[in-house]
Amino acid sequence: MVRVGGGPAPQDVARRLAEGMAHGVLSFPLTAFHDDGTLDPDGCRAHIAGRLAAGPGALFPACGTGEFFSLDEDEYRTVVTLAVEEAAGRVPVVAGTGYGWAQAARFARIAEEAGADALLVLPHYLTEAPQDGLAAHLERLAARTRLPLIAYQRGQTAYGTEALRRIARVPNVIGLKDGHSDLDRLQRLTLAAPDGFLFFNGAATAEIQARAYAAVGVPAYSSAVHAFAPEIAGAFFTALRAADHATVDRLLRAFYVPFVELRDRAPGYAVSLVKAAARLRGQPVGPVRAPLADPSPADLAGLKALLGTGLDLVGASL
């Protein structure tokens, strides 16, 4: 089925995403910059190609890990276009968009033109908003793009059951990514959603809570670790799907929990540590852009040791 105006129908994109989620993690690639802070298209392409070679269920360029918030519109177009070209239809490409609905619609148009399959709608800027406003935000954006939308709740954005029912009635809103880790609230949302509505575990370092999310009906998760160590991310995913709890626990204790503890040492480390780890693996992704900052020398040394431990566990090397 094809929507009027071209492109696949939302239900077809949702089906492809569901199929992808069943066999691989959701990959959120980094955006490569040169040392002077300018965009590095060649580095972006090489990094994206490497993520695709590791077999993710879907590719989410220019989202939080990809520093969407620091990209101008031309840079965003380049990043999304590179992802679409490299994916070549093998997996869905879900680009990030955000800010208020008017600006989000500008990025949405660029993503459409670049060939993205869907959009992840990042939280709006700064201010808190009532439930009616959150729903209206999605409705206004949905009316301005043919692309399917996945709402992302974290920070100041949190949907209640009535708002969830409202946005789920919008034909091109196909899912919700959760970053709050409030499992009571999330269970209520999954029960309120219509059949076929997609849910994603979007907690920071989602593997830590993957079993808990799966218990409330949300087995799919995004993996920042896939950006720098797909061997570790893949081993964890395989063990989790096989209910190999001994392997899951071993990876959590020796790698994921220490990684989270290191990540929590400084604001922004959820991105800058991931990028630093990718550089340690020889990936040409460059530094983060301000206002983020690269890890301190001491934290970088700790990251290198931890990365070596994690790779040893899955029979890989730095």
Side-chain angles (χ1 to χ4, degrees):
M1 181 182 298
V2 176
R3 298 187 66 208
V4 175
Q11 57 266 39
D12 293 332
V13 176
R15 175 185 51 77
R16 287 189 68 208
L17 280 167
E19 291 171 352
M21 285 152 40
H23 77 256
V25 300
L26 307 177
S27 179
F28 285 68
L30 299 157
T31 297
F33 299 116
H34 294 292
D35 287 343
D36 65 0
T38 57
L39 186 70
D40 178 2
D42 291 338
C44 287
R45 187 183 291 278
H47 176 71
I48 290 168
R51 300 322 93 202
L52 288 165
L59 196 68
F60 287 69
C63 292
T65 305
E67 298 180 74
F68 165 79
F69 53 85
S70 77
L71 300 176
D72 67 27
E73 292 179 9
D74 289 338
E75 292 169 334
Y76 175 84
R77 184 186 300 276
T78 297
V79 170
V80 177
T81 298
L82 289 172
V84 171
E85 289 176 353
E86 289 299 313
R90 290 175 289 170
V91 298
V93 175
V94 183
T97 189
Y99 309 116
W101 62 262
Q103 183 62 48
R106 291 174 64 92
F107 282 103
R109 285 193 293 274
I110 294 170
E112 284 188 34
E113 294 165 0
D117 297 292
L119 294 165
L120 178 65
V121 184
L122 304 175
H124 63 277
Y125 175 74
L126 190 61
T127 56
E128 296 179 351
Q131 292 294 298
D132 284 349
L134 292 176
H137 175 70
L138 263 293
E139 290 168 344
R140 287 175 181 266
L141 177 56
R144 288 162 173 79
T145 179
R146 66 171 179 80
L147 292 178
L149 305 179
I150 299 167
Y152 188 6
Q153 62 170 16
R154 65 178 298 166
Q156 72 274 39
T157 299
Y159 295 92
T161 54
E162 289 307 313
L164 186 282
R165 292 189 182 101
R166 180 172 161 182
I167 65 172
R169 289 193 292 269
V170 179
N172 55 329
V173 176
I174 63 172
L176 176 76
K177 181 182 178 185
D178 175 70
H180 283 295
S181 304
D182 181 341
L183 297 182
D184 178 282
R185 184 187 189 95
L186 184 59
Q187 181 71 92
R188 295 169 191 264
L189 294 178
T190 61
L191 293 172
D195 290 343
F197 195 79
L198 302 176
F199 284 90
F200 308 84
N201 168 3
T205 315
E207 286 91 344
I208 291 284
Q209 300 181 61
R211 286 185 291 200
Y213 269 82
V216 297
V218 185
Y221 62 90
S222 57
S223 176
V225 172
H226 192 271
F228 64 85
E231 306 95 327
I232 299 172
F236 185 92
F237 180 87
T238 299
L240 186 67
R241 287 297 188 268
D244 179 359
H245 296 297
T247 298
V248 168
D249 287 345
R250 183 165 58 253
L251 288 168
L252 288 174
R253 287 194 187 99
F255 176 76
Y256 283 100
V257 169
F259 182 74
V260 168
E261 291 171 347
L262 184 59
R263 183 200 67 202
D264 289 346
R265 289 185 183 178
Y269 267 17
V271 177
S272 56
L273 272 184
V274 172
K275 211 164 199 182
R279 292 195 301 272
L280 288 171
R281 302 292 311 277
Q283 296 178 37
V285 295
V288 292
R289 267 184 176 172
L292 298 181
D294 289 319
S296 68
D299 288 342
L300 186 61
L303 175 65
K304 184 174 182 179
L306 178 59
L307 182 54
T309 298
L311 291 169
D312 284 344
L313 283 173
V314 298
S317 60
L318 190 62

